[in-house]
Amino acid sequence: MDRKQMTNIEVKRNNGNRVYRYICKNGIVSNPDISYATKMSFCL
């Protein structure tokens, strides 16, 4: 089975979509909440 590797742009787009969906679902949330729920690190 041949899996296509994601590009950096695709990873950024997917991560942004995950954050957007989390915010839409939960309303006002903090950055640490988003980071914990999406299992992504928070960087400035």
Side-chain angles (χ1 to χ4, degrees), residues 4-40:
K4 179 182 172 264
Q5 195 167 11
M6 293 178 71
T7 65
N8 287 343
I9 293 171
E10 290 171 325
V11 171
K12 287 180 183 182
R13 185 181 301 128
N14 286 343
N15 289 346
N17 286 339
R18 286 173 60 194
V19 170
Y20 179 76
R21 285 192 305 265
Y22 181 78
I23 293 170
C24 287
K25 182 179 178 184
N26 295 288
I28 298 172
V29 292
S30 67
N31 287 336
D33 289 339
I34 296 169
S35 178
Y36 180 78
T38 59
K39 295 177 180 54
M40 291 190 289

